[in-house]
Amino acid sequence: MTEEKTAQNHERYKTIVALLMALVTIIGAVVAWRAALANDEAGDTNFLAWHAAINAEEAHTVNNAALYQHYSSYTAYVRYGYLGDLIEEDREDATPAEAADLERQQAEAWDVATTIQEFFPLSSLNRDGTYNLQRELGEAWADASKDKDLNPERHYAKADRARDKATQLISILTVMGVSLWLYALAEGMKHAFRYVVVLLATVTMIGAVIATLIVELR
Amino acid sequence: MSESTSSEDRLNHLTTMLIVTVALLAATVALLQQDAATRGDRLRRDSQRFAIQAMRQRSVGEMRVGYDWNSAYQTWLELDLLAESAEQDNHTAAARRYRTMRDEIATLSPLLAAPYFDTATGAAPHVFGYEADTYLVEATALSERALAFFAVGDAWDSKADASITHLSLFAVALALFGLAATLSGRVRWIFVSTGTLIATITLTWVVQVYTRPSPVIVEPAIDAYARGVGLAYRGETEKAIAAFDQALASKSDYANAYYARGNARYALNDYPTAVADFEAARAAGRDDTSAAWDLGWTYYLMGRYDDAVRANRRAIQLDEDLIGVRLNLGLTYLAAGKIEEAQKEYADAATQAARLVAAAKATGQEPPTSLWFGLDAGALDLENLLDRLNDRSYPWTEAPPRQAIANTSAVQTVARVLIGELKSLNTALEYTDKPPTQPLAARISALKFAAPKDAETEELAIAESFPEGTKEVAVLFDYAGMQDGQDIVLKVYVNGEEDGALRLEDQWNMGQSGQAEYRVGLTYSKLFTLSPGEYQVDLFVSWRLAQSGRFTVQKGK
């Protein structure tokens, strides 16, 4: 009778352990699925980051190309504007015949300078007439950022977080593997120590579940 | 019965333990795989970021330097010339205005200030130094970081990929253990044993993969290399070599540093150490056309022809369109006295050049100018070889030592023919897109050179050397067998490089025979004269090289 009861208890014990093993396996599958989703999100976010990085490089290149075209025009503007100014000084000491010729040259120089002004933004000039390269670049960048995503860093950070999450979940999966291994060990044991092993496996499983929830809810 | 059941239970339990152990191992490998893949992903991503940052640095730097050189300095130079011209015409006020404007323009660009520009010397700004400081060093460092991060990321990716295989093998072991649970007797043991063997081998492989050291990024090596590239670009070759030494001290398998140091040592004519560096670069993984090309050329200059042939053939194997390497291969055979092999390689190079031009034209494109440059350089290399044999030496002469050149008599004869063929091919391809078809019928005497005796008279004095300040040189020759309407091209090379501004193109209208004269120079200019140097004039009739000659414009009055 006692042997029969012992056999029944052992069978019940084995059934419970088998159920716990099935439970930890199912939870493990759910954790693996969440890890796969996190990896997928990291991949998608990386693409967004890449797209923003390309946008940013395009904006840098286009803005600088425009900037130096403008600055070349400004150089020509300085040349002709300053020529007109210098002729003005020389006219005072010139003979009447020379003065007439200089007046014509001066008008030409200033006309050319005035025409060239159309080829660069006057808003880039400082009060003293010098060119503010940084201001123009800053304005062009601000304009470009209104139209396009130029900030890859936030996407990179998000992708990193998703990758870290996937790694943490797979770490938890390994812990669940330990729990499964302990259950399997306990299943074949017959002395009382098996309950300690089952308890250890269960604590490990519960710890893994709590860790999963923390990772997911963070 | 009881013993049998007990044994069965033990085996069942053993199988279960094996299954969960392998499952635990698989989970651990999955974690390692995830970690390796994450590292690989981040490193490759950083590599891409560095690559595009390098691209930005270069493109924006080029724009900046483009403005400084083509706009600011060009305007400065223009105003300086206008001032000088006004000064010569006694327009003092205009000259002063131009100089004041010139100085104002100089304030717009850092290139036109110290340490890159010194107006007192009259020399052009040190644009190479400016480029190195503005973007080259930083862009190089970024490019190198992109390569280094890619290499390390690739190593982690390889580990991650290996882990996928590990997981597959663990799955096979798990399947065998699972099947074993449904079997009995000896077969069951075979399944369990096989599964255990596969799991053990896989575990050993996992340990081997993850204990293998990954390549590391050596930042000081990258920074030293980039600094060296900047110094080499500035022309500070010895300092550059010291920087490359530092890079290699930090990272002994740094292929790009070996290659760059090889080029720096080559620039100092230290050929033995240069080839050692080029070989080291290839051994460290830089087995590309540049390394093979440079190696082949340096071996040729040392007279190590077999090694030169091997390196040139490797370059051609990597890119069969490299006309320059094919010409170098022919040149190497020629210097080695292997006349037939040399002629064959030159003929192959000519065919390849004609094919490239035809292919470009067929798609509505123009052949790259490097093709003309390559053919010209091939002819110059042959001339250098002849100069070496005839004990003539110029600053640009590069050829093997005279004693290393075999079969010298035949080499001289064949080299002269090949020079004519190469130059004719180059000119015909440039003007007609096809190799020359007609043989040369005209006979042109040796070219003579002359300049007016003085400013007051047009009377010419024949000479081979002219003083600095000479505005033009007359090219005189006798001719026979000419036909009116034939295309004439006169190319002028100064110190081994063609000066395109001096090229003359004409249609012959002076009859079949007689004496002719062409003028080389910029006669319209008040300011320009022929710069001091060694001049070579090539006369082409219907795209065939008909005659060549040399004269010198001396430095100093």
Side-chain angles (χ1 to χ4, degrees):
Chain A
M1 186 65 191
T2 310
E3 271 186 23
E4 195 179 319
K5 197 175 177 184
T6 306
Q8 278 179 349
N9 282 343
H10 188 64
E11 279 305 310
R12 197 161 48 242
Y13 164 79
K14 285 182 76 171
T15 306
I16 290 169
V17 171
L19 283 172
L20 286 168
M21 286 173 78
L23 180 64
V24 79
T25 308
I26 290 167
I27 294 171
V30 171
V31 172
W33 169 63
R34 297 299 301 168
L37 283 186
N39 267 332
D40 186 48
E41 187 192 349
D44 291 348
T45 313
N46 260 344
F47 174 77
L48 292 176
W50 180 241
H51 191 61
I54 295 289
N55 283 344
E57 293 315 311
E58 182 188 287
H60 270 299
T61 307
V62 169
N63 293 349
N64 275 280
L67 174 75
Y68 288 112
Q69 284 164 5
H70 294 158
Y71 200 40
S72 289
S73 299
Y74 172 75
T75 303
Y77 163 79
V78 168
R79 173 184 176 165
Y80 288 103
Y82 199 47
L83 176 63
D85 295 346
L86 291 170
I87 291 173
E88 175 75 18
E89 291 170 18
D90 288 345
R91 274 176 62 190
E92 293 166 11
D93 303 326
T95 64
E98 284 172 343
D101 189 42
L102 286 174
E103 189 178 359
R104 182 187 56 76
Q105 287 182 35
Q106 182 187 40
E108 282 175 1
W110 277 341
D111 284 347
V112 171
T114 305
T115 306
I116 289 172
Q117 276 186 346
E118 293 177 19
F119 292 90
F120 60 88
L122 293 174
S123 59
S124 295
L125 294 182
N126 293 317
R127 284 174 187 277
D128 62 359
T130 54
Y131 207 84
N132 195 324
L133 296 168
Q134 290 311 315
R135 186 197 297 162
E136 184 171 332
L137 273 181
E139 282 180 11
W141 183 260
D143 281 348
S145 59
K146 282 182 208 157
D147 300 332
K148 288 179 177 175
D149 181 2
L150 304 179
N151 183 9
E153 295 307 323
R154 64 193 174 95
H155 298 297
Y156 286 135
K158 192 177 172 191
D160 283 347
R161 282 198 298 275
R163 282 269 188 227
D164 289 343
K165 179 181 170 183
T167 305
Q168 286 161 359
L169 289 172
I170 291 173
S171 307
I172 291 168
L173 199 60
T174 313
V175 175
M176 286 183 172
V178 173
S179 172
L180 187 67
W181 190 85
L182 289 171
Y183 280 131
L185 182 69
E187 193 196 24
M189 295 169 87
K190 288 190 175 160
H191 45 80
F193 185 66
R194 65 188 179 177
Y195 296 112
V196 176
V197 178
V198 167
L199 181 65
L200 193 61
T202 307
V203 168
T204 308
M205 179 180 71
I206 291 168
V209 170
I210 291 169
T212 305
L213 288 172
I214 291 170
V215 169
E216 282 292 341
L217 297 174
R218 194 161 49 198
Chain B
M1 182 70 186
S2 173
E3 271 183 26
S4 167
T5 307
S6 173
S7 166
E8 191 76 4
D9 279 350
R10 275 201 301 275
L11 188 55
N12 278 340
H13 186 62
L14 174 67
T15 310
T16 307
M17 284 309 295
L18 284 170
I19 289 173
V20 292
T21 303
V22 170
L24 181 59
L25 286 172
T28 309
V29 169
L31 177 61
L32 291 171
Q33 195 276 338
Q34 170 70 19
D35 179 60
T38 301
R39 284 170 191 256
D41 184 56
R42 283 183 181 155
L43 286 158
R44 275 188 289 108
R45 194 180 70 188
D46 286 341
S47 166
Q48 288 170 340
R49 291 166 74 182
F50 285 130
I52 56 176
Q53 282 173 14
M55 188 178 71
R56 179 212 302 176
Q57 199 72 23
R58 250 176 227 285
S59 55
V60 171
E62 284 286 345
M63 286 175 211
R64 167 84 236 190
V65 174
Y67 162 79
D68 291 311
W69 181 260
N70 291 96
S71 189
Y73 177 59
Q74 186 182 313
T75 305
W76 188 96
L77 191 61
E78 198 179 316
L79 292 168
D80 191 55
L81 286 172
L82 287 171
E84 198 176 324
S85 183
E87 197 78 63
Q88 282 191 8
D89 292 341
N90 294 318
H91 292 158
T92 314
R96 185 179 44 75
R97 281 199 296 273
Y98 286 131
R99 291 209 170 92
T100 311
M101 283 158 56
R102 180 199 67 182
D103 295 342
E104 180 68 17
I105 293 296
T107 64
L108 300 180
S109 166
L111 177 66
L112 302 179
Y116 308 109
F117 194 42
D118 181 3
T119 49
T121 65
H126 189 1
V127 71
F128 292 117
Y130 182 67
E131 279 184 271
D133 293 347
T134 306
Y135 70 90
L136 186 66
V137 172
E138 199 176 335
T140 303
L142 286 167
S143 293
E144 291 300 301
R145 277 192 174 80
L147 289 173
F149 274 69
F150 179 80
V152 181
D154 195 44
W156 281 104
D157 277 346
S158 298
K159 286 181 195 266
D161 291 345
S163 291
I164 300 291
T165 314
H166 300 151
L167 287 172
S168 305
L169 289 170
F170 280 138
V172 170
L174 282 173
L176 290 173
F177 291 143
L179 286 170
T182 66
L183 299 168
S184 61
R186 192 172 289 175
V187 181
R188 183 177 193 180
W189 278 108
I190 292 172
F191 272 64
V192 169
S193 306
T194 311
T196 307
L197 182 67
I198 290 173
T200 308
I201 291 171
T202 308
L203 183 61
T204 311
W205 186 9
V206 170
V207 171
Q208 188 256 325
V209 165
Y210 282 94
T211 53
R212 190 174 58 213
S214 296
V216 289
I217 296 156
V218 188
E219 299 275 355
I222 291 173
D223 292 336
Y225 169 76
R227 202 168 57 249
V229 168
L231 287 164
Y233 197 72
R234 299 174 74 101
E236 297 180 20
T237 311
E238 278 160 2
K239 286 184 186 170
I241 289 172
F244 296 136
D245 286 344
Q246 278 180 21
L248 289 165
S250 302
K251 185 171 167 34
S252 60
D253 61 345
Y254 198 164
N256 283 351
Y258 278 117
Y259 178 67
R261 192 173 69 177
N263 274 317
R265 286 174 161 169
Y266 171 85
L268 296 176
N269 297 327
D270 186 357
Y271 301 144
T273 56
V275 291
D277 277 343
F278 290 145
E279 290 284 14
R282 290 178 71 187
R286 184 155 177 173
D287 185 20
D288 61 11
T289 52
S290 301
W293 190 333
D294 291 340
L295 193 56
W297 179 250
T298 315
Y299 275 134
Y300 160 75
L301 293 178
M302 295 170 72
R304 289 174 59 176
Y305 302 128
D306 290 342
D307 292 323
V309 167
R310 178 177 51 78
N312 284 324
R313 289 223 178 273
R314 175 64 185 147
I316 292 169
Q317 189 184 10
L318 292 168
D319 183 356
E320 63 172 15
D321 287 345
L322 292 175
I323 302 293
V325 181
R326 287 181 181 275
L327 294 172
N328 284 354
L329 183 58
L331 184 69
T332 303
Y333 278 129
L334 187 65
K338 297 177 178 174
I339 304 297
E340 282 181 18
E341 286 94 330
Q343 286 171 323
K344 180 185 174 304
E345 291 303 331
Y346 275 102
D348 284 354
T351 307
Q352 187 77 349
R355 189 185 63 74
L356 286 177
V357 172
K361 290 289 176 183
T363 55
Q365 294 177 328
E366 285 298 317
T369 50
S370 60
L371 181 63
W372 318 131
F373 173 79
L375 290 171
D376 249 357
L380 179 67
D381 293 334
L382 286 163
E383 283 168 351
N384 286 339
L385 188 67
L386 287 178
D387 285 340
R388 178 57 46 87
L389 285 172
N390 294 310
D391 293 325
R392 285 194 300 260
S393 185
Y394 301 100
W396 62 89
T397 302
E398 284 192 312
R402 195 179 189 289
Q403 65 274 15
I405 303 170
N407 202 359
T408 54
S409 171
V411 166
Q412 295 207 46
T413 308
V414 173
R416 286 194 189 95
V417 173
L418 289 172
I419 288 168
E421 286 178 0
L422 269 184
K423 290 193 171 189
S424 301
L425 173 73
N426 195 5
T427 308
L429 285 177
E430 190 181 343
Y431 283 90
T432 70
D433 306 330
K434 289 174 188 159
T437 49
Q438 301 292 323
L440 180 68
R443 292 183 302 284
I444 307 291
S445 69
L447 302 183
K448 290 179 181 168
F449 302 99
K453 280 183 174 172
D454 53 58
E456 308 302 318
T457 174
E458 277 292 295
E459 193 183 345
L460 295 172
I462 291 177
E464 290 181 350
S465 179
F466 302 93
E468 186 170 358
T470 301
K471 282 188 173 294
E472 63 173 355
V473 168
V475 182
L476 310 168
F477 56 90
D478 299 333
Y479 59 91
M482 294 291 292
Q483 289 176 1
D484 285 350
Q486 281 185 301
D487 291 292
I488 304 295
V489 177
L490 204 74
K491 293 185 183 178
V492 182
Y493 295 81
V494 185
N495 296 332
E497 280 187 37
E498 192 196 354
D499 184 340
L502 297 177
R503 186 187 283 199
L504 293 175
E505 295 162 2
D506 194 17
Q507 287 222 314
W508 189 257
N509 61 2
M510 291 187 265
Q512 283 197 335
S513 61
Q515 291 183 325
E517 175 188 325
Y518 283 105
R519 298 271 175 129
V520 171
L522 302 169
T523 50
Y524 58 85
S525 173
K526 287 189 295 184
L527 300 173
F528 291 108
T529 58
L530 293 174
S531 56
E534 299 292 332
Y535 283 69
Q536 175 165 322
V537 177
D538 288 346
L539 176 65
F540 294 85
V541 177
S542 296
W543 325 124
R544 286 276 185 192
L545 181 67
Q547 194 53 269
S548 287
R550 288 179 178 179
F551 66 87
T552 307
V553 175
Q554 301 289 348
K555 196 168 175 59
K557 297 272 182 185

